[in-house]
Amino acid sequence: MTVRIAAALLIAAVAVGTAVAQTTTFPVLDITKGAPLPTLQRLQPVNDWITLNMLPATIQGPGDNTSADDPYIMYTGRTYNEALIAGVIRVQQGETLRLKVCNNLSSYEPTATGEINSSYGSFTNPIDVGGINVFKDVNILANHLHGFYGNPGTDNIACDPVPDNSSDCYRGDNIFADILPGSCNYYQYDIPQVASPGALWIHPHHHGSSSLQTHTATVPVIIDTAINGGFDPLGSASCANMRQFFPADNSNEIILHFQTFQLAVFTDASQNIQNATGPIDDGFIANSVGSIAGDPYCCAGPEPLDDGTAVTTWDNTGDTGPDAGNSSSLLPFYTSGSNALFATINGAYQPVISMNAGTVYKWILVEAATMKWMHLSFDKPGCVMGLYSRDANYVNELPRLTNNIVFAAANRVELLIQCNAGTYQLQSGQGEFGIQDPGCASSHCDVINQPIMATVEVAAVAGAAPVPADPFGSCTPQRPAYQQDLRDASLNATYRNEIVPKTGNSGLLNFTNPQVPGPGSSACSLNGLTYQEGNAMQEVIGELHELSLWNINVHPYHHHTQPFQIVALPDGVDSDANNGSWRIGDWADTLELPNIGYQAIVRWVPGPYEITGKSSDRG
């Protein structure tokens, strides 16, 4: 990804049905194609605080808008620090991460429900501006450290020290604290010494705007094992030989931060429905980013495939004809040979990953997306992968040999990999699981189908032996105290709950939002109750909790502040053939079983004291 300053763009500041052009200059983030994998720079604190500023930027590429061979997008989106990925944050167990998150977007609120309804250009009537988890508040921000094992930050524990000139400091992961335009929130994350090391990620979390902001405003966070005194999963005697693959300087580490762009292209609102190009959810994303009346970031960009020829576009919807310049319209302005559905790694499209033969590398994969899942594999033999961690939780026996990786939006996967010299294509959606779920009625159960996610160039090294079938060995890692094995059938869960779709619906499309229409649209209920913000499920510290998750093949389930253990999966899923997916006994914080699962049962014990600060009954 390259950055430059845009020439003046036409930005629509509109009332309903009216476009008024104004000029605004934003940085332009060019998505490169086929370039070396960008290295994410480590974000450093200034006066003890790492700062993330949400700012607008024009995002375009990776094609040139003259053919359907390569995807092409151009729009003004929300970013952190005017980058697709601001960098990477690293912190050790026992340390404190101090984060300052600022919202530098402009103030914008619709004046009436009708204004936001008519601006979408799609079937969203009715949509309540104050509704739960509907598209709204497009420039309001909230913050979430996804995968953080620690305090939820809602109990008014004071930050230490309190930052200057601010009372908005939260000691923990307070996802409910809104950050209004022109303001900042501070977050103090005390990383427990016992926290399992691995990959987390930061993303926006305001209900109503998070999906608009998240696909271009995310940051990976790596929890490293403390040099002195931290919990070390590889501290067991059986893992002594495995430590060679985990050097203290992380010299063999490659971070792969995946982002997905799923922006439907339509020339009029009547086409924005379920069709061969994808589910309706994609259209909502496009419309919401680029077509909200009065949003100062609305609608700057070229018409679809406007090459001046006036011929039909790739999807046979017709070209709008040549323009004198950028268009201002209430309709989406993205275009792509694949309907603007593509993935990037570290902000680049189809980057080149360079490795050496004879070396074992450690790949850290972050699926920083709001929807869709990936099935990664290579186009030919020659590489051996060993999965050792999911969602910053080590597997029970590591590494788990596999030739594919299945992971959903928000998952993190860490693996060891060694390859013979040669050129390989990392691909998604090309293996045995790379088909659409026939019952899919949501973008969450769509697989990213991309024949080239990245090119892996493995250089020959003199004396490097061919990769054996198992180049890693195996070991049983240590587990932190909060990950005691809960699979024992004799354990009786004191608190049992069940998440199910509402009666008459087969999927969890629009998981908590009955207002947005679409195929199989429904809400999800917990013990028969539809989600209402602020009505939290109470948990009891120290007691075993069990949750049954239905339709887990359609929509992922995420658990904040503490992971859960998978204790039951559908028949046939828990097998060596599914090593690239989830297994019974795994710990995770986000779970989806695309194409292969319907129900899962998970367990956890809330607490303990080091993350709640409490020793009484209620958490």
Side-chain angles (χ1 to χ4, degrees):
M1 180 190 71
T2 58
V3 182
R4 56 191 174 86
I5 299 298
L9 298 178
L10 283 177
I11 308 298
V14 297
V16 178
T18 303
V20 179
Q22 65 184 36
T23 57
T24 304
T25 300
F26 298 125
V28 175
L29 307 181
D30 288 312
I31 301 174
T32 59
K33 176 186 177 182
L37 177 75
T39 299
L40 302 182
Q41 299 301 309
R42 182 173 179 177
L43 295 177
Q44 299 292 344
V46 176
N47 297 325
D48 296 326
W49 295 88
I50 292 175
T51 299
L52 297 177
N53 283 312
M54 177 158 281
L55 293 158
T58 298
I59 301 165
Q60 69 177 29
D64 60 6
N65 199 33
T66 61
S67 78
D69 295 337
D70 293 320
Y72 177 81
I73 58 173
M74 180 180 178
Y75 73 101
T76 303
R78 286 77 169 153
T79 69
Y80 279 138
N81 300 355
E82 297 179 331
L84 283 179
I85 309 172
V88 61
I89 295 174
R90 303 194 81 106
V91 60
Q92 290 188 10
Q93 300 158 325
E95 292 183 341
T96 296
L97 168 62
R98 292 181 171 87
L99 190 66
K100 177 182 179 182
V101 183
C102 296
N103 183 347
N104 288 300
L105 302 175
S106 64
S107 297
Y108 163 70
E109 294 181 4
T111 59
T113 300
E115 179 177 316
I116 194 171
N117 282 339
S118 60
S119 71
Y120 274 88
S122 58
F123 308 109
T124 61
N125 185 48
I127 214 170
D128 292 332
V129 174
I132 295 173
N133 214 29
V134 299
F135 284 116
K136 60 187 175 73
D137 304 339
V138 293
N139 289 337
I140 295 178
L141 177 62
N143 182 66
H144 176 37
L145 177 53
H146 191 117
F148 171 62
Y149 172 68
N151 197 295
T154 56
D155 48 10
N156 298 316
I157 299 176
C159 294
D160 182 20
V162 176
D164 293 338
N165 303 318
S166 174
S167 59
D168 297 323
C169 188
Y170 304 92
R171 195 161 184 171
D173 191 41
N174 189 334
I175 61 170
F176 301 107
D178 284 342
I179 310 171
L180 300 179
S183 64
C184 302
N185 281 356
Y186 294 77
Y187 302 85
Q188 177 179 329
Y189 296 101
D190 300 313
I191 310 299
Q193 289 273 10
V194 298
S196 182
L200 287 58
W201 64 300
I202 290 170
H203 65 83
H205 203 282
H206 178 76
H207 287 182
S209 63
S210 59
S211 62
L212 313 184
Q213 300 167 357
T214 292
H215 68 292
T216 51
T218 58
V219 175
V221 178
I222 309 298
I223 306 297
D224 289 317
T225 303
I227 298 175
N228 297 309
F231 167 74
D232 184 2
L234 301 179
S236 64
S238 69
C239 291
N241 291 332
M242 194 69 63
R243 299 187 67 86
Q244 63 181 308
F245 305 131
F246 296 81
D249 62 0
N250 298 309
S251 55
N252 65 337
E253 178 184 275
I254 298 177
I255 298 174
L256 304 176
H257 191 83
F258 293 80
Q259 293 166 294
T260 57
F261 294 86
Q262 49 224 45
L263 309 169
V265 184
F266 303 100
T267 57
D268 64 76
S270 66
Q271 296 168 340
N272 201 4
I273 58 176
Q274 173 82 15
N275 57 29
T277 62
I280 193 170
D281 300 58
D282 292 353
F284 281 126
I285 295 294
N287 284 327
S288 297
V289 174
S291 302
I292 297 180
D295 182 356
Y297 307 139
C298 174
C299 312
E303 297 286 353
L305 282 182
D306 179 20
D307 55 7
T309 64
V311 298
T312 57
T313 56
W314 63 271
D315 58 354
N316 294 318
T317 58
D319 195 340
T320 56
D323 285 337
N326 295 322
S327 60
S328 295
S329 167
L330 285 181
L331 296 175
F333 46 78
Y334 318 103
T335 182
S336 165
S338 55
N339 208 31
L341 171 55
F342 64 95
T344 59
I345 305 178
N346 295 3
Y349 180 66
Q350 298 179 346
V352 177
I353 302 171
S354 296
M355 304 195 310
N356 290 326
T359 299
V360 173
Y361 290 86
K362 186 174 63 173
W363 279 14
I364 298 178
L365 286 63
V366 179
E367 226 280 55
T370 58
M371 298 181 186
K372 303 192 184 296
W373 58 281
M374 295 185 185
H375 174 235
L376 300 180
S377 60
F378 288 104
D379 63 328
K380 61 183 180 182
C383 294
V384 177
M385 296 187 291
L387 187 153
Y388 67 85
S389 178
R390 275 193 173 275
D391 295 351
N393 303 288
Y394 278 53
V395 298
N396 292 313
E397 295 291 330
L398 64 89
R400 188 179 291 166
L401 295 181
T402 180
N403 62 5
N404 68 88
I405 298 293
V406 174
F407 64 145
N411 279 136
R412 291 87 63 213
V413 173
E414 299 174 54
L415 56 89
L416 300 175
I417 181 170
Q418 186 176 13
C419 298
N420 291 319
T423 300
Y424 305 86
Q425 305 298 342
L426 183 67
Q427 54 192 6
S428 176
Q430 307 300 301
E432 59 182 308
F433 297 116
I435 57 175
Q436 302 295 355
D437 189 322
C440 177
S442 166
S443 285
H444 292 91
C445 51
D446 261 352
V447 64
I448 290 286
N449 196 316
Q450 189 165 309
I452 303 177
M453 296 290 290
T455 298
V456 181
E457 294 280 3
V458 183
V461 175
V467 179
D470 182 359
F472 314 120
S474 63
C475 77
T476 302
Q478 297 184 129
R479 307 214 68 84
Y482 62 89
Q483 291 186 8
Q484 58 180 298
D485 197 339
L486 305 177
R487 289 176 287 177
D488 191 333
S490 66
L491 294 175
N492 184 33
T494 307
Y495 298 90
R496 285 191 168 92
N497 295 280
E498 189 170 39
I499 290 183
V500 297
K502 292 180 69 175
T503 303
N505 295 281
S506 61
L508 298 186
L509 173 62
N510 306 317
F511 195 53
T512 58
N513 180 14
Q515 295 170 299
V516 177
S521 178
S522 72
C524 177
S525 62
L526 173 63
N527 294 345
L529 300 176
T530 302
Y531 169 80
Q532 296 291 321
E533 197 167 278
N535 297 336
M537 180 181 73
Q538 293 293 311
E539 299 181 1
V540 179
I541 294 174
E543 296 289 346
L544 178 61
H545 288 62
E546 180 177 289
L547 184 62
S548 295
L549 302 167
W550 291 87
N551 290 51
I552 200 66
N553 61 318
V554 175
H555 194 293
Y557 169 76
H558 172 48
H559 200 156
H560 285 216
T561 71
Q562 186 163 346
F564 50 78
Q565 187 178 32
I566 302 168
V567 299
L569 290 171
D571 292 341
V573 173
D574 185 40
S575 70
D576 290 345
N578 289 330
N579 265 353
S581 185
W582 290 263
R583 302 289 302 270
I584 291 176
D586 284 354
W587 288 82
D589 60 49
T590 305
L591 178 62
E592 182 178 5
L593 301 173
N595 278 346
I596 58 173
Y598 184 72
Q599 182 195 21
I601 299 176
V602 301
R603 287 179 167 183
W604 71 98
V605 177
Y609 178 83
E610 70 264 9
I611 70 164
T612 62
K614 301 177 182 179
S615 57
S616 57
D617 290 336
R618 284 288 171 183

